[in-house]
Amino acid sequence: MKTLLRSLAGETLPVPPIWMMRQAGRYLPEYKATRAEAGDFLSLCYNPDLATEVTLQPIRRFGFDAAILFADILLVPQALGADLWFVTGEGPRLSTITGPGGVTALKGRDDIHDTLAPVYQTVRNLASALPSEVALIGFAGAPWTVATYMIAGRGTPDQAPAHALKDGDRATFEALLDRITEATIEYLDQQVQAGAEVVKLFDSWAGSLKGDDFAKYAVAPAKRIISELKARHPGLPVIAFPREAGDGYIGFHAATGADCVAVDDSVDAAWVAEHVQPDGCVQGNLESSHMVTGGDALVSEVRRIRDALSGGPHVFNLGHGITPDADPDNVALMIETLRETASVPAS
Ligand code: CP3
């Protein structure tokens, strides 16, 4: 069985499988060349041949144990009817949702597939193109994170517009979350039908949900999506990433049904081993900055995280996405260090 699938099934492997968030991206010259050929980022996402190519680039260059579909979490809002564009050097822009009319105007869960069909084609391409030992991960944004972009129309440091709608017009906010949740189930279902072997839910802004809000808007939607997908696809492994959840990572496997909980780099690996890993596989948590700075600090951090999490199922990864200023040689060094004889003591 593929190493990623073994870890997700709960096996403790001598060398954990490794892949990297944003492993297809601007730190790779070959990615930049293909993106230029596509014209812009969204055209790349919707071009199955080129999206397949950029997904495969980091597999060819580094030999990762898993490939992640090349797409974006904001394709779902676009399929639901939002306007979406990317401003170079700044990030995404969307039409905003400010009241009930914005939610009722969205398309239904069954009307998203015309827009998203090229993504499903990319998954089919990948399912036949990947080396037999490499697992294919599909993904979507979690409803809260997607909602933060749909409400604000852009990325926000504190998700203030989404919190304002949640606290000021809870019915509209919850209706929006439901619409995203339903669309996400259908979107991921199609990815699995097309050949995705694992799915990951990115809740990048989960950390700004506190107290009851975390249970209602991070845990509950993840639970609903995971249970519906597992009902349709028994045994489907799911990775959940409630980024910056802190103590909220504890019990997240059991509360949502996720097979693996991905952790960011603000929590310590030894703490994760004690409080999160007993419930199932964990993924993470190397600081992305080591991909820029490299050297001995990178080597010792890789060994420290590997060793701290060696007592249970672990998927090695960064705590968040690799940045455009990263050096590909540091990625190679991370992989080489991880795969060195596991019995070499950390220096
Ligand atoms: O990981 C992978 O290699 C697979 C592809 C992938 C992308 N985005 C490609 C991308 C995945 C899994 C994502 C997820 C995503 N997208 C998230 C959740 C993960 C996280 O980072 O917290 C979020 C919040 C988004 C939304 C998004 N997309 C933003 C805020 C931005 C702009 C910031 C940036 O890095 O430029 C994007 C653009 C984006 N998505 C790029 C890539 C490779 C860069 C686009 C480019 O080539 O210009």
Side-chain angles (χ1 to χ4, degrees):
M1 209 203 276
K2 302 180 187 189
T3 52
L4 179 77
L5 303 181
R6 288 172 64 186
S7 291
L8 297 179
E11 231 184 289
T12 304
L13 300 179
V15 179
I18 179 169
W19 67 280
M20 198 171 65
M21 281 187 268
R22 294 275 175 99
Q23 62 190 23
R26 287 161 293 178
Y27 74 107
L28 289 178
E30 59 268 37
Y31 169 83
K32 285 195 262 194
T34 309
R35 184 178 178 278
E37 191 184 333
D40 58 57
F41 173 66
L42 283 175
S43 305
L44 178 54
C45 291
Y46 289 119
N47 181 319
D49 290 339
L50 298 183
T52 301
E53 166 59 22
V54 293
T55 307
L56 294 173
Q57 285 168 350
I59 307 303
R60 278 189 213 118
R61 186 193 264 257
F62 302 113
F64 282 116
D65 297 297
I68 182 160
L69 162 71
F70 190 84
D72 197 84
I73 66 163
L74 300 178
L75 304 188
V76 166
Q78 189 171 41
L80 283 168
D83 294 328
L84 172 68
W85 66 105
F86 281 80
V87 179
T88 311
E90 289 188 32
R93 294 288 183 275
L94 300 89
S95 44
T96 58
I97 290 189
T98 51
V103 179
T104 45
L106 294 174
K107 292 187 197 165
R109 68 177 106 177
D110 298 323
D111 299 323
I112 60 173
H113 301 307
D114 282 351
T115 302
L116 297 169
V119 177
Y120 311 146
Q121 184 57 45
T122 304
V123 177
R124 280 191 290 273
N125 292 351
L126 288 165
S128 59
L130 279 168
S132 59
E133 69 280 9
V134 179
L136 177 57
I137 305 170
F139 74 93
W144 160 250
T145 288
V146 172
T148 66
Y149 289 94
M150 293 180 80
I151 294 164
R154 57 192 299 162
T156 44
D158 51 5
Q159 298 76 60
H163 284 286
L165 185 69
K166 164 172 66 66
D167 298 332
D169 183 354
R170 204 161 283 262
T172 295
F173 172 78
E174 291 189 347
L176 175 61
L177 237 60
D178 276 349
R179 300 292 285 269
I180 299 168
T181 302
E182 287 160 6
T184 301
I185 291 166
E186 301 310 322
Y187 180 48
L188 290 173
D189 178 29
Q190 290 292 321
Q191 291 184 28
V192 175
Q193 289 192 42
E197 299 170 283
V198 174
V199 297
K200 178 168 175 184
L201 269 181
F202 286 91
D203 210 348
S204 305
W205 300 118
S208 78
L209 290 169
K210 303 297 177 198
D212 222 26
D213 281 352
F214 185 79
K216 278 158 73 179
Y217 306 127
V219 174
K223 180 183 177 174
R224 184 172 160 202
I225 292 166
I226 293 169
S227 62
E228 184 59 37
L229 286 171
K230 284 180 180 270
R232 297 184 193 183
H233 306 282
L236 174 73
V238 180
I239 305 171
F241 181 37
R243 192 170 73 91
E244 293 189 352
D247 285 348
Y249 285 129
I250 302 172
F252 204 81
H253 289 91
T256 61
D259 303 273
C260 177
V261 173
V263 297
D264 65 90
D265 57 34
S266 69
V267 288
D268 186 72
W271 179 88
V272 173
E274 188 181 343
H275 296 286
V276 189
Q277 202 178 27
D279 289 347
C281 187
V282 293
Q283 176 182 284
N285 74 333
L286 184 69
E287 264 182 58
S288 303
S289 60
H290 288 294
M291 297 298 100
V292 181
T293 52
D296 290 347
L298 163 60
V299 170
S300 61
E301 273 299 281
V302 171
R303 289 178 180 157
R304 187 182 67 80
I305 292 167
R306 178 193 68 194
D307 294 347
L309 295 170
S310 64
H314 176 210
V315 175
F316 200 94
N317 206 310
L318 305 178
H320 201 189
I322 188 167
T323 51
D325 55 344
D327 182 344
D329 288 346
N330 293 330
V331 176
L333 178 60
M334 166 179 70
I335 298 174
E336 186 189 306
T337 305
L338 182 76
R339 290 178 179 164
E340 71 195 358
T341 315
S343 59
V344 172
S347 57

